Amino acid sequence: MNAHTVDMSTTTLTNADEKITYDAIVVGAGVIGPCVAAGLARKGKKVLIVEREWAQPDRIVGELMQPGGVRALRSLGMVQSINGIGAIPVTGYSVFYDGKEVDITYPYKADCARVEKVKDLVKDGNDKVLDDETIHTADYEDDERERGVAFVHGRFLNNLRNIARHEPNVTALQGDVIQILKNEKNEVIGAKVDIDGRGKVNFHAHLTFVCDGIFSHFRSELSPEHVPSIGSSFVGMSLFDADVPAKNHGHVILGSDHMPILVYQISATETRILCAYNSGKLPKDLKAWMTKDVQPYIPKSLRPSFDAALAQGKFKPMANKYLPARANDVTGLCVIGDALNMRHPLTGGGMTVGIQDVVLLMDKIGDLDFADRETVLDELLDYHFERKPFDSVINVLSIALYSLFAADTKNLKELQRGCFKYFQRGGDCVNVPVSFLAGLKPSPFQLTRVFFAVAFYTIYLKFEERGFLGLPMALLEGIMILITAIRVFTPFLYRELLG
């Protein structure tokens, strides 16, 4: 099959049969929808997947996948989706702080748990990454370490959709889902779809999956209060033929007097830059803001490509949202992916969380008879709690790191500096934190220990700087730093684990 194309014929995408009851309807064909559809189909379920627009999208989200996400794709037998799209292997991060640099590489595979493949989903070698022209020639030799991958989002999504649509048990439909259907008991029984040429058609299923992403229209079916909050924004640009400081690395550019800047290569010629703005409401003149508050802090090697992109002024803004998950407690309904749970995109953990949730979901309900709706509901309630150790680590880390990296108070700036100096120590001071970032260490307890190790190391630095005569001031500063760390970290950990 061609990695870049999907059969887009009107006949193929509008001929779904409304007279049958499907095992599952999947609303949305973003990253998560095709994973759910393909997984269920391989489990023998008859699946209808509905998407408003099957053409390749142009988005600046979902372009860097952490190693945990690649492993989850392998568990689902869908890792071949990163083949043939010019993907760039990612072996770690380079963190810049006020002119200094720390390289952080992903862990060794030998130090990580083996990939568990979901029964019935992995077949015919579909758990393997092929050496396509980009991965084969990339500056990457160390196969002993875990690695992530960066790509043009639309190409990757086309591959996922292609995989799902080639499953015999999957019917793909192009249309606009306008309503989640319910019976007199308020149980979900399907979806109403507005189809070009057919009008509004009711489709029925034992279980309806809502996978309609960041801007979900139907997450409120769980609860009207299930609404994301917006605390910051990113402004993205495409840099072409950029000379990135560290090949096959993501770049995090920090400073005591500017917001964080992310840079990562997504194809042989294109590099993504994301510039943080600490508000959901962006300035009216983005070019002036970028010139004043971003351009001076761009590494020298990136300046030619950055300056060219800035002159063109093709900005892609996006709001950064946070949404803790809720239990799927509505009979006949399962909300998953960004429709259910969002975190700050700083750490690139969204796809990793979503795809790992699909892995767990297939293990929990893939072999059940969906007509037994009470049993399915019980398993979905268990699923809500079983997903927490993995997802809470990535979600809380994203919020905590953004708070430190976008430091806007004296104590947060101290924690930011302390965090960088902690990384400079090397050893476990980078190996353990990067395991959380990579989605390879699902331990909220260890994350808590490491975060407060950073806080106490920051306090130690204050005592060292103040000296003996400055002990009273260092003690006061240390208390304030600790209080700040508690305020940054614990409310989100509480929400994620106990919500």
Side-chain angles (χ1 to χ4, degrees), residues 407-424:
D408 57 359
T409 68
K410 179 178 181 296
N411 292 321
L412 283 173
K413 289 181 186 294
E414 293 290 353
L415 283 166
Q416 180 192 69
R417 184 174 68 99
C419 182
F420 185 79
K421 287 184 174 293
Y422 187 84
F423 292 158
Q424 285 183 307

Side-chain angles (χ1 to χ4, degrees), residues 178-199:
I178 57 176
Q179 183 184 347
I180 299 297
L181 300 177
K182 297 182 179 180
N183 61 18
E184 65 278 358
K185 298 179 182 178
N186 209 37
E187 299 171 340
V188 172
I189 57 173
K192 182 187 292 287
V193 185
D194 191 356
I195 307 168
D196 189 24
R198 290 180 62 180

Side-chain angles (χ1 to χ4, degrees), residues 178-477:
I178 57 176
Q179 183 184 347
I180 299 297
L181 300 177
K182 297 182 179 180
N183 61 18
E184 65 278 358
K185 298 179 182 178
N186 209 37
E187 299 171 340
V188 172
I189 57 173
K192 182 187 292 287
V193 185
D194 191 356
I195 307 168
D196 189 24
R198 290 180 62 180
K200 298 172 183 177
V201 182
N202 290 344
F203 293 92
H204 295 88
H206 298 304
L207 188 56
T208 299
F209 292 85
V210 170
C211 315
D212 56 345
I214 295 173
F215 305 105
S216 174
H217 295 291
F218 301 113
R219 62 166 59 102
S220 59
E221 297 292 339
L222 279 182
S223 168
E225 298 175 358
H226 196 48
V227 179
S229 59
I230 301 175
S232 64
S233 305
F234 271 137
V235 178
M237 293 195 305
S238 292
L239 310 184
F240 291 98
D241 301 315
D243 183 10
V244 294
K247 304 295 184 185
N248 300 107
H249 269 49
H251 303 76
V252 183
I253 303 165
L254 306 175
S256 55
D257 53 0
H258 68 87
M259 297 290 289
I261 303 164
L262 304 183
V263 179
Y264 48 91
Q265 189 176 352
I266 61 175
S267 76
T269 59
E270 186 176 0
T271 295
R272 175 71 64 219
I273 184 168
L274 297 174
C275 310
Y277 188 77
N278 211 14
S279 170
K281 187 176 181 180
L282 289 166
K284 292 182 180 179
D285 190 342
L286 286 177
K287 189 171 185 177
W289 169 71
M290 294 279 277
T291 301
K292 176 177 179 291
D293 293 339
V294 178
Q295 189 179 39
Y297 308 106
I298 298 299
K300 184 178 180 180
S301 67
L302 286 172
R303 277 297 297 270
S305 58
F306 178 89
D307 292 350
L310 183 61
Q312 287 188 333
K314 294 181 179 180
F315 307 117
K316 295 183 177 181
M318 61 179 254
N320 301 326
K321 301 181 180 182
Y322 173 68
L323 179 68
R326 293 183 67 97
N328 277 288
D329 56 2
V330 177
T331 300
L333 179 69
C334 178
V335 183
I336 188 171
D338 284 342
L340 176 72
N341 180 207
M342 287 186 282
R343 75 288 313 143
H344 199 284
L346 174 77
T347 53
M351 290 187 292
T352 298
V353 168
I355 300 170
Q356 179 59 35
D357 277 355
V358 178
V359 173
L360 177 59
L361 194 68
M362 293 301 114
D363 278 333
K364 293 293 293 180
I365 69 171
D367 294 320
L368 298 179
D369 179 359
F370 285 1
D372 184 358
R373 289 153 70 86
E374 288 188 9
T375 299
V376 171
L377 180 61
D378 286 342
E379 291 299 323
L380 287 177
L381 291 172
D382 288 343
Y383 155 80
H384 174 68
F385 293 99
E386 289 185 25
R387 67 185 290 278
K388 285 179 178 290
F390 184 93
D391 298 354
S392 64
V393 166
I394 294 176
N395 294 342
V396 174
L397 180 67
S398 74
I399 300 296
L401 279 184
Y402 180 76
S403 297
L404 268 58
F405 290 175
D408 57 359
T409 68
K410 179 178 181 296
N411 292 321
L412 283 173
K413 289 181 186 294
E414 293 290 353
L415 283 166
Q416 180 192 69
R417 184 174 68 99
C419 182
F420 185 79
K421 287 184 174 293
Y422 187 84
F423 292 158
Q424 285 183 307
R425 291 166 60 88
D428 284 346
C429 292
V430 292
N431 294 336
V432 177
V434 79
S435 296
F436 298 129
L437 178 70
L440 301 173
K441 190 178 285 292
S443 173
F445 172 77
Q446 288 192 56
L447 175 66
T448 303
R449 182 179 63 81
V450 170
F451 183 82
F452 282 99
V454 171
F456 282 111
Y457 184 66
T458 303
I459 293 169
Y460 163 77
L461 292 175
K462 293 305 297 182
F463 275 91
E464 189 176 58
E465 291 167 4
R466 292 290 183 185
F468 179 76
L469 296 178
L471 281 178
M473 179 60 72
L475 180 61
L476 179 61
E477 290 174 331

